[in-house]
Amino acid sequence: MTIPRRSWRAAGTLAAAAVVGLSGAVLTAGPAAAHTPTWDVTCDEVSLHLTQYNAGVTNEVTVTVDGKDLLPTETFGKEFDKTIALPEHDQPLTVRLVVKAGDGERYSKDDTKQAPVCEKTTPPATPTPTETKPSETPTTASPSPSDTPSESASPSAPAAATPSPSSPDLAETGSSSATPIIGGAAVAVLLAGGGIMWSVRKRRTAQH
Protein backbone atom coordinates (compact mmCIF):
# COMPACT_ATOMS: atom_id res chain seq x y z
CA MET A 1 0.00 0.00 0.00
CA THR A 2 1.41 3.32 -1.01
CA ILE A 3 0.66 6.61 0.77
CA PRO A 4 0.16 9.62 -1.45
CA ARG A 5 2.75 12.36 -1.22
CA ARG A 6 0.08 14.88 -0.29
CA SER A 7 -0.68 12.93 2.83
CA TRP A 8 3.00 12.98 3.80
CA ARG A 9 3.16 16.70 3.24
CA ALA A 10 0.01 17.28 5.32
CA ALA A 11 1.37 15.19 8.16
CA GLY A 12 4.69 17.07 8.08
CA THR A 13 2.89 20.41 8.18
CA LEU A 14 0.86 19.35 11.21
CA ALA A 15 3.96 18.13 13.03
CA ALA A 16 5.79 21.37 12.35
CA ALA A 17 2.82 23.36 13.59
CA ALA A 18 2.70 21.30 16.77
CA VAL A 19 6.40 21.85 17.44
CA VAL A 20 6.09 25.61 16.91
CA GLY A 21 3.03 25.76 19.16
CA LEU A 22 4.76 23.83 21.91
CA SER A 23 7.83 26.02 21.68
CA GLY A 24 5.70 29.12 21.93
CA ALA A 25 3.98 27.79 25.01
CA VAL A 26 7.28 27.00 26.65
CA LEU A 27 8.70 30.42 25.82
CA THR A 28 5.55 32.06 27.13
CA ALA A 29 5.55 30.11 30.41
CA GLY A 30 9.28 30.51 30.93
CA PRO A 31 9.34 34.20 31.96
CA ALA A 32 6.30 33.72 34.18
CA ALA A 33 8.01 30.96 36.13
CA ALA A 34 11.32 32.86 36.24
CA HIS A 35 10.12 36.03 38.06
CA THR A 36 10.86 35.56 41.78
CA PRO A 37 9.86 38.49 44.02
CA THR A 38 10.95 37.43 47.52
CA TRP A 39 10.81 39.85 50.45
CA ASP A 40 10.77 39.71 54.24
CA VAL A 41 9.67 42.12 56.98
CA THR A 42 10.93 42.10 60.59
CA CYS A 43 10.42 44.55 63.45
CA ASP A 44 13.28 46.77 62.28
CA GLU A 45 13.98 46.17 58.57
CA VAL A 46 12.68 45.16 55.13
CA SER A 47 14.68 42.77 52.92
CA LEU A 48 14.07 42.65 49.15
CA HIS A 49 15.29 39.82 46.88
CA LEU A 50 13.87 40.23 43.35
CA THR A 51 15.55 37.78 40.98
CA GLN A 52 15.22 36.29 37.47
CA TYR A 53 13.41 39.25 35.93
CA ASN A 54 13.63 40.20 32.25
CA ALA A 55 16.80 42.25 31.83
CA GLY A 56 15.67 43.53 28.43
CA VAL A 57 12.90 45.68 29.92
CA THR A 58 12.59 48.29 32.66
CA ASN A 59 11.26 46.95 35.99
CA GLU A 60 10.24 49.13 38.95
CA VAL A 61 10.04 48.55 42.72
CA THR A 62 8.50 50.74 45.46
CA VAL A 63 8.17 50.22 49.25
CA THR A 64 5.88 52.29 51.48
CA VAL A 65 5.22 52.28 55.24
CA ASP A 66 1.77 53.41 56.37
CA GLY A 67 1.39 55.22 53.03
CA LYS A 68 4.78 56.97 53.21
CA ASP A 69 7.70 56.15 50.95
CA LEU A 70 10.32 53.99 52.57
CA LEU A 71 11.92 53.20 49.21
CA PRO A 72 10.96 55.64 46.45
CA THR A 73 10.43 54.06 43.06
CA GLU A 74 13.64 52.54 41.67
CA THR A 75 14.26 50.78 38.39
CA PHE A 76 16.15 47.53 38.00
CA GLY A 77 16.97 44.90 35.41
CA LYS A 78 17.45 41.22 36.01
CA GLU A 79 17.50 41.40 39.82
CA PHE A 80 17.22 43.75 42.78
CA ASP A 81 18.61 43.05 46.27
CA LYS A 82 18.39 45.55 49.14
CA THR A 83 17.80 45.79 52.93
CA ILE A 84 16.08 48.90 54.31
CA ALA A 85 15.88 49.87 57.98
CA LEU A 86 12.46 50.70 59.38
CA PRO A 87 11.86 53.78 61.57
CA GLU A 88 11.43 53.26 65.30
CA HIS A 89 7.82 52.52 66.20
CA ASP A 90 5.72 51.56 69.21
CA GLN A 91 2.86 50.18 67.10
CA PRO A 92 2.81 47.68 64.19
CA LEU A 93 3.56 49.20 60.77
CA THR A 94 1.94 48.32 57.45
CA VAL A 95 4.62 47.72 54.81
CA ARG A 96 3.62 47.54 51.14
CA LEU A 97 5.73 46.24 48.23
CA VAL A 98 4.86 47.15 44.64
CA VAL A 99 6.84 45.57 41.78
CA LYS A 100 5.99 46.49 38.17
CA ALA A 101 7.49 44.13 35.59
CA GLY A 102 8.26 45.68 32.22
CA ASP A 103 7.35 42.58 30.28
CA GLY A 104 3.75 42.32 31.40
CA GLU A 105 1.36 43.22 34.16
CA ARG A 106 0.89 39.55 35.01
CA TYR A 107 4.48 39.47 36.31
CA SER A 108 3.97 42.44 38.61
CA LYS A 109 3.46 42.10 42.37
CA ASP A 110 1.53 44.08 44.98
CA ASP A 111 1.86 42.68 48.54
CA THR A 112 1.42 43.95 52.11
CA LYS A 113 2.97 42.78 55.40
CA GLN A 114 3.01 43.91 59.03
CA ALA A 115 6.16 45.01 60.87
CA PRO A 116 5.75 44.14 64.58
CA VAL A 117 7.08 46.21 67.48
CA CYS A 118 10.56 45.19 68.56
CA GLU A 119 10.76 43.82 72.07
CA LYS A 120 12.98 45.87 74.30
CA THR A 121 15.60 43.80 76.04
CA THR A 122 16.55 44.90 79.54
CA PRO A 123 20.31 44.72 80.06
CA PRO A 124 21.34 42.50 82.95
CA ALA A 125 21.89 44.38 86.17
CA THR A 126 25.53 44.82 87.04
CA PRO A 127 26.17 43.55 90.56
CA THR A 128 27.30 46.29 92.89
CA PRO A 129 30.65 45.45 94.45
CA THR A 130 30.36 45.13 98.20
CA GLU A 131 32.78 47.07 100.32
CA THR A 132 34.93 44.89 102.55
CA LYS A 133 35.07 46.39 106.00
CA PRO A 134 38.30 45.87 107.94
CA SER A 135 37.93 43.55 110.88
CA GLU A 136 37.66 45.39 114.14
CA THR A 137 40.57 44.80 116.50
CA PRO A 138 39.20 43.65 119.86
CA THR A 139 40.10 46.08 122.58
CA THR A 140 41.02 44.86 126.06
CA ALA A 141 38.83 46.62 128.57
CA SER A 142 40.96 48.32 131.19
CA PRO A 143 39.77 47.76 134.76
CA SER A 144 37.79 50.67 136.02
CA PRO A 145 39.01 52.26 139.21
CA SER A 146 37.02 51.27 142.25
CA ASP A 147 34.53 53.86 143.34
CA THR A 148 34.93 52.89 147.02
CA PRO A 149 38.38 53.65 148.41
CA SER A 150 40.10 50.86 150.27
CA GLU A 151 39.28 50.74 153.98
CA SER A 152 42.92 50.14 154.84
CA ALA A 153 43.87 53.44 153.37
CA SER A 154 43.48 56.00 156.15
CA PRO A 155 43.53 59.64 155.30
CA SER A 156 46.79 61.14 156.38
CA ALA A 157 46.49 63.98 158.86
CA PRO A 158 47.83 67.23 157.62
CA ALA A 159 51.21 67.96 159.06
CA ALA A 160 51.27 70.71 161.65
CA ALA A 161 52.67 73.85 160.33
CA THR A 162 56.11 74.46 161.78
CA PRO A 163 56.83 78.12 162.21
CA SER A 164 59.72 79.17 160.19
CA PRO A 165 62.63 80.50 162.20
CA SER A 166 62.83 83.34 159.80
CA SER A 167 59.21 84.35 160.45
CA PRO A 168 58.80 87.73 162.27
CA ASP A 169 58.34 87.75 166.09
CA LEU A 170 54.79 87.77 167.35
CA ALA A 171 53.60 90.95 169.06
CA GLU A 172 53.84 90.91 172.85
CA THR A 173 50.51 90.24 174.63
CA GLY A 174 51.49 91.34 178.24
CA SER A 175 53.43 88.18 179.30
CA SER A 176 57.15 88.35 180.00
CA SER A 177 59.95 86.33 181.62
CA ALA A 178 58.84 87.54 185.13
CA THR A 179 55.57 85.59 185.00
CA PRO A 180 56.99 82.39 186.60
CA ILE A 181 58.35 84.35 189.54
CA ILE A 182 55.04 86.05 190.20
CA GLY A 183 53.26 82.70 189.96
CA GLY A 184 55.67 81.17 192.54
CA ALA A 185 55.08 84.05 194.98
CA ALA A 186 51.34 83.63 194.71
CA VAL A 187 51.64 79.90 195.48
CA ALA A 188 53.79 80.72 198.55
CA VAL A 189 51.22 83.20 199.81
CA LEU A 190 48.47 80.64 199.45
CA LEU A 191 50.50 78.07 201.33
CA ALA A 192 51.29 80.55 204.12
CA GLY A 193 47.65 81.53 204.39
CA GLY A 194 46.67 77.89 204.58
CA GLY A 195 49.19 77.27 207.36
CA ILE A 196 47.88 80.18 209.38
CA MET A 197 44.29 78.94 208.98
CA TRP A 198 45.32 75.47 210.13
CA SER A 199 47.15 76.89 213.25
CA VAL A 200 44.14 78.98 214.23
CA ARG A 201 41.77 76.02 214.04
CA LYS A 202 44.11 73.86 216.01
CA ARG A 203 44.30 76.42 218.85
CA ARG A 204 40.53 76.76 218.97
CA THR A 205 40.18 73.06 219.17
CA ALA A 206 42.69 72.88 222.02
CA GLN A 207 40.92 75.62 224.10
CA HIS A 208 37.65 73.78 224.07
Side-chain angles (χ1 to χ4, degrees):
M1 180 179 179
T2 58
I3 301 175
R5 292 183 177 179
R6 291 181 178 178
S7 299
W8 282 107
R9 288 179 181 177
T13 302
L14 291 174
V19 170
V20 172
L22 181 61
S23 299
V26 171
L27 293 175
T28 303
H35 295 72
T36 309
T38 303
W39 71 306
D40 187 37
V41 177
T42 64
C43 69
D44 57 354
E45 65 183 16
V46 178
S47 302
L48 303 176
H49 305 285
L50 312 178
T51 60
Q52 298 183 13
Y53 277 77
N54 189 350
V57 296
T58 301
N59 306 301
E60 296 180 352
V61 57
T62 306
V63 179
T64 60
V65 175
D66 289 343
K68 298 179 182 179
D69 286 342
L70 179 65
L71 174 67
T73 302
E74 289 191 16
T75 60
F76 66 98
K78 184 178 180 180
E79 59 186 23
F80 184 87
D81 192 281
K82 193 170 187 178
T83 300
I84 311 167
L86 287 171
E88 294 184 0
H89 52 281
D90 55 3
Q91 294 181 354
L93 300 177
T94 301
V95 185
R96 181 184 179 190
L97 170 67
V98 177
V99 179
K100 291 184 179 181
D103 53 356
E105 189 65 26
R106 63 184 179 278
Y107 305 131
S108 298
K109 185 178 182 65
D110 191 338
D111 195 10
T112 302
K113 293 185 179 181
Q114 292 288 326
V117 179
C118 294
E119 295 181 0
K120 295 182 179 179
T121 57
T122 304
T126 304
T128 305
T130 56
E131 298 181 358
T132 304
K133 296 182 179 180
S135 58
E136 298 181 357
T137 304
T139 57
T140 304
S142 58
S144 58
S146 176
D147 295 337
T148 306
S150 175
E151 295 180 357
S152 61
S154 58
S156 58
T162 304
S164 173
S166 60
S167 59
D169 295 337
L170 296 175
E172 295 184 359
T173 57
S175 62
S176 63
S177 58
T179 302
I181 299 174
I182 296 173
V187 172
V189 171
L190 290 175
L191 292 175
I196 295 170
M197 291 294 295
W198 181 76
S199 298
V200 171
R201 289 181 179 178
K202 190 174 179 181
R203 289 179 181 176
R204 290 180 178 176
T205 303
Q207 289 179 0
H208 292 287

